[in-house]
Amino acid sequence: MFQEHTTAHSGVSQRMPLRIPLALLGVVLALLVLASLFIGAVSLSPRLVLDGLFSGQASSLEGTLVWQHRLPRALLAILVGLQLATAGLILQAVFRNPLADPSIVGISSGAGLAVITVLLLADLATVDVLIGDATPTMMSWLPAAALFGGLLAASLVLGLSWRTQLRPIHLVLNGIAVGSVLNALVMWVIVTWGGARTEIALIWLAGSLYGRDFQHLYMLWPWSLAGLLGTLALLKPLALLRFDDSVVISLGLRPMFWRAAAIAVAVLLAASAVAVTGPVGFVGLVTPHLARLLVGSKPHRLWIGSMLLGSMLMLCADLIGRTLISPLEIPVGALTTLLGIPIFLLLLHRQARGRF
Amino acid sequence: MDNLLLQKRTWALPIRALWLALACLFVLSLTTAGALALGEFGIPLPVLLEALMRDDGSDAAFVIRELRMPRLLTGMLAGGALGLAGAIVQSITRNPLGEPGLLGVTSGAAFAMALCMTYFTLPTPTMLLLSTVGGITAALLTLSISLGARLNPLYLTLTGMSVNLFFAAAIIVLLICANVEANGIYYWLTGSLINRTWEHVHLLWPWVIPALLLGIIFAGKLDLLRLDDEVLVALGMRVTPWRLLFGVVAVLLAAATVAATGPITFIGLVAPHLVRFTLGANGVRHRHLLPLSALVGASLVCAADLIAKWHEVPVGILCVLLGGPVLVYLISRQEG
């Protein structure tokens, strides 16, 4: 992950100022936010959108549309994207594994199972939480439950791969195997629970931003903040963890402590995102690799670049998903999987040939 | 495995194989009795036997002959097909993690089926043909991608799983684009034996029975295919045509099963390993392995379906719950 500090083949030359690629990414991100405000299933003229944006939510139809649907959705896409990208970056660094991703090491499936189970235990009717009608107290528990499930699943996958010293391929295979068992458990819960709400739950499981509003944003932001602050504290130790344990110790760090802390932060970021959108795969896998190509591999650059790219990816996928066949919607998670798998296979191919 | 050709002929193996076969038959007869007698509408044993003997037009006879019997037989045939296909794939790819499902065949076939179910109304044989094409395409995709890693078991499995995830996502997109009443299709996609009719039985047996016979007749070739390619060429065996033939047979079996029951995974992985484990690892010949894998597969699916019926769970979900841990165990025994 962080291993190519000085080498030139890591994409952009390290002497290039950080500002240029990051400014470019920032501009594209801003354009995407604007696009997701102006484009949608209901077509509004730019003028109406602007009117709605400045007239506040209650006053008009376009105000409601922009303020209650498009804006919170764009903001959520940004948050979720940067969280998943950061989680992927951390996991890849901790495991020295270019194939790690929250959805691959089992975090997403564990969190998904926990969320579905909480919904089931709480009250069948509150499945409306997924489309925004539930009580706030109920919803504020969801990220915590997701965190619990994600931690449990991650420790299961880690425990299973421990014997082979977390070899990349064993870790990923175990993650996918555990993930498929957890997904079967989720299907079990849904089928037992059954009824008319099955489809809502299934759409949530595909990973979607459909019907998300400010309520979800309020629910998510404290977790994002905690996770990002944690990442900030982790950046330096993470860059050192690529060395052998003895070296790390001689540098004055406790390797196991920092590894555990890093995994905890990654689970926190990924699981709380899953609690809001459902599992969205491969964003965390792809973004660090793309970011390294664009901004080089110095820890801070890489992190900021990954976050920007993650947000862009989510916004882009959401925009495509809700406009391509509108009024119907393709879930974001399905799109990121369709786009992410070819890239995953490419990485796998390179790893199989020992090019990492 | 390498001393297979030099191995002395002993009776220990056939006797153990016989015991395993008897155990499977015992499980199968118990589950048969359970599947026919239990349910929403319990049927006492004498009535059951009576109704099996002749169709006397009673309610019990109808329930058994038209509802429970086809479901049971579909389960048996599907389980047998999956066990057989798993054993074949494990041998021809020399991959202990092999299974049609793990090569992506199941989800490729499922994608083709979902495509047929949402956009076209086609007769069943055409749908079967198309789903086979889907399965073959997915398997070819997986194999060609993992050729770069010289078909290393772990990379092959990982590629197959990715192809699976890809098609699963594609199915979701498909169902949403088609905007159909998706509940039924979702339920079919979890792999279930509910509401199977004689039509499903007739869909399966013309594939399963000949494939089993073919496998037993050419079991010797499969024994040989586990040796190194150089040895085989030195022995004068044409490797590729045989591998291709058996590969197509395995894909056909898996695709037919998907068409009849929806995707049921992991049975093809577990059944051959169970046979090898019981008979003692290496020296198992395909003459024993193939029919026993089919038998074990059939028993597993029927037993799982009985539990599934009890708890109203699709059998495909139960099979994942049973098979996932086995997969994790097998992964842990692999060297990278």
Side-chain angles (χ1 to χ4, degrees), chain A:
Chain A
M1 174 56 19
F2 291 112
Q3 60 259 64
E4 289 159 2
H5 273 282
T6 48
T7 45
H9 66 267
S10 59
V12 175
S13 158
Q14 298 293 323
R15 271 169 294 163
M16 190 176 183
L18 179 61
R19 276 173 259 125
I20 295 172
L22 286 186
L24 274 177
L25 287 179
V27 169
V28 176
L29 184 65
L31 285 179
L32 276 172
V33 173
L34 287 180
S36 57
L37 287 183
F38 282 96
I39 303 170
V42 180
S43 56
L44 294 176
S45 71
R47 187 173 167 94
L48 281 177
V49 174
L50 285 178
D51 278 353
L53 198 59
F54 294 115
S55 66
Q57 21 183 327
S59 60
S60 59
L61 173 69
E62 47 272 17
T64 318
L65 205 62
V66 172
W67 276 92
Q68 293 194 351
H69 296 286
R70 292 186 186 172
L71 185 64
R73 212 171 148 152
L75 292 176
L76 267 176
I78 291 176
L79 266 193
V80 168
L82 68 88
Q83 283 182 229
L84 290 175
T86 309
L89 184 75
I90 295 176
L91 290 173
Q92 290 177 9
V94 173
F95 300 136
R96 299 174 191 142
N97 182 345
L99 301 176
D101 173 87
S103 65
I104 286 175
V105 298
I107 297 174
S108 299
S109 313
L113 179 61
V115 169
I116 290 277
T117 313
V118 166
L119 291 173
L120 175 69
L121 288 178
D123 183 358
L124 299 190
T126 51
V127 71
D128 285 339
V129 76
L130 303 173
I131 47 170
D133 298 341
T135 55
T137 45
M138 167 70 202
M139 277 176 59
S140 57
W141 280 102
L142 283 184
L147 182 62
F148 178 72
L151 272 178
L152 225 56
S155 34
L156 183 62
V157 173
L158 291 183
L160 288 172
S161 328
W162 202 257
R163 215 174 51 82
T164 50
Q165 275 117 34
L166 303 177
R167 288 194 44 160
I169 193 150
H170 279 123
L171 184 74
V172 175
L173 272 170
N174 279 329
I176 294 185
V178 168
S180 73
V181 172
L182 289 174
N183 286 340
L185 280 172
V186 169
M187 289 306 285
W188 190 0
V189 170
I190 289 176
V191 169
T192 327
W193 169 15
R197 301 183 187 279
T198 309
E199 251 173 289
I200 300 171
L202 282 170
I203 287 175
W204 179 79
L205 275 177
S208 155
L209 283 165
Y210 174 74
R212 307 303 198 272
D213 56 20
F214 274 108
Q215 221 180 345
H216 295 91
L217 205 62
Y218 297 145
M219 168 174 129
L220 188 59
W221 77 262
W223 299 85
S224 336
L225 192 66
L228 295 183
L229 288 177
T231 313
L232 204 59
L234 277 171
L235 275 184
K236 277 216 174 113
L238 268 185
L240 295 175
L241 277 179
R242 72 195 163 94
F243 296 116
D244 276 342
D245 280 5
S246 56
V247 180
V248 179
I249 292 169
S250 71
L251 288 169
L253 287 175
R254 283 169 295 161
M256 285 325 276
F257 168 78
W258 285 105
R259 262 190 208 119
I263 293 169
V265 170
V267 174
L268 175 90
L269 284 164
S272 56
V274 168
V276 173
T277 59
V280 175
F282 296 95
V283 175
L285 177 86
V286 173
T287 43
H289 297 285
L290 290 179
R292 194 172 304 110
L293 286 176
L294 285 172
V295 298
S297 51
K298 282 189 176 167
H300 284 86
R301 286 183 169 208
L302 191 56
W303 182 38
I304 296 170
S306 302
M307 287 199 296
L308 288 174
L309 274 172
S311 301
M312 278 168 50
L313 215 67
M314 278 299 283
L315 271 174
C316 219
D318 188 44
L319 199 60
I320 295 173
R322 67 194 170 87
T323 50
L324 197 63
I325 52 163
S326 75
L328 298 172
E329 268 196 25
I330 303 172
V332 150
L335 278 178
T336 56
T337 305
L338 285 181
L339 293 174
I341 291 220
I343 301 179
F344 176 74
L345 288 175
L346 194 72
L347 292 171
L348 192 66
H349 195 68
R350 283 177 45 163
Q351 208 201 23
R353 297 201 164 170
R355 269 195 243 142
F356 268 103

Side-chain angles (χ1 to χ4, degrees), chain B:
Chain B
M1 209 180 290
D2 288 326
N3 59 4
L4 195 73
L5 293 176
L6 310 172
Q7 189 179 297
K8 259 197 271 171
R9 190 169 280 248
T10 65
W11 285 104
L13 219 57
I15 287 175
R16 255 188 275 171
L18 193 67
W19 277 115
L20 183 61
L22 283 177
C24 283
L25 288 177
F26 180 68
V27 172
L28 267 182
S29 52
L30 270 189
T31 47
T32 304
L36 292 182
L38 301 175
E40 216 168 287
F41 174 59
I43 297 172
L45 215 53
V47 181
L48 177 73
L49 290 177
E50 179 79 7
L52 272 182
M53 293 302 178
R54 58 194 176 81
D55 189 1
D56 53 6
S58 64
D59 285 350
F62 176 77
V63 167
I64 288 170
R65 297 176 84 101
E66 295 305 318
L67 302 180
R68 292 184 185 168
M69 201 64 176
R71 177 175 179 163
L72 177 74
L73 285 178
T74 308
M76 271 185 201
L77 286 169
L82 291 171
L84 194 59
I88 292 175
V89 169
Q90 284 173 18
S91 297
I92 60 173
T93 58
R94 296 198 198 99
N95 179 353
L97 300 174
E99 198 220 37
L102 292 180
L103 289 179
V105 173
T106 320
S107 58
F111 177 75
M113 278 298 278
L115 200 65
C116 295
M117 285 167 88
T118 45
Y119 281 114
F120 314 104
T121 30
L122 296 171
T124 317
T126 321
M127 269 166 73
L128 181 66
L129 190 72
L130 284 175
S131 85
T132 313
V133 171
I136 290 178
T137 312
L140 284 179
L141 198 63
T142 307
L143 288 173
S144 57
I145 292 171
S146 44
L147 268 180
R150 294 206 197 79
L151 299 181
N152 169 310
L154 290 176
Y155 283 101
L156 188 60
T157 310
L158 207 45
T159 313
M161 283 172 162
S162 319
V163 171
N164 264 333
L165 284 176
F166 185 82
F167 279 112
I171 288 173
I172 290 176
V173 173
L174 179 77
L175 291 185
I176 289 170
C177 288
N179 195 21
V180 284
E181 185 53 56
N183 253 335
I185 298 179
Y186 271 124
Y187 207 78
W188 173 78
L189 284 174
T190 58
S192 134
L193 289 169
I194 293 167
N195 296 333
R196 299 301 125 143
T197 59
W198 284 106
E199 198 185 334
H200 296 94
V201 179
H202 297 316
L203 184 76
L204 275 175
W205 72 259
W207 301 94
V208 183
I209 307 291
L212 187 61
L213 290 177
L214 191 79
I216 294 174
I217 292 170
F218 294 111
K221 299 289 179 195
L222 275 174
D223 283 338
L224 286 173
L225 277 180
R226 292 197 297 192
L227 301 173
D228 274 340
D229 279 3
E230 289 114 41
V231 181
L232 292 177
V233 173
L235 286 173
M237 183 179 174
R238 292 167 56 97
V239 182
T240 317
W242 284 107
R243 208 167 259 160
L244 211 61
L245 170 73
F246 284 118
V248 169
V249 168
V251 172
L252 280 175
L253 284 174
T257 320
V258 174
T261 65
I264 294 180
T265 40
F266 289 118
I267 292 295
L269 179 78
V270 173
H273 282 291
L274 246 153
V275 175
R276 279 199 209 98
F277 179 75
T278 325
L279 300 195
N282 281 343
V284 187
R285 281 162 183 263
H286 281 83
R287 191 158 22 107
H288 301 137
L289 182 66
L290 293 182
L292 281 175
S293 297
L295 210 54
V296 169
S299 324
L300 284 176
V301 170
C302 287
D305 188 47
L306 199 59
I307 302 171
K309 205 168 156 187
W310 204 290
H311 286 285
E312 305 271 329
V313 191
V315 67
I317 291 179
L318 272 181
C319 290
V320 177
L321 293 182
L322 293 173
V326 179
L327 176 63
V328 169
Y329 171 73
L330 292 173
I331 290 169
S332 75
R333 299 205 327 171
Q334 286 289 303
E335 301 300 322

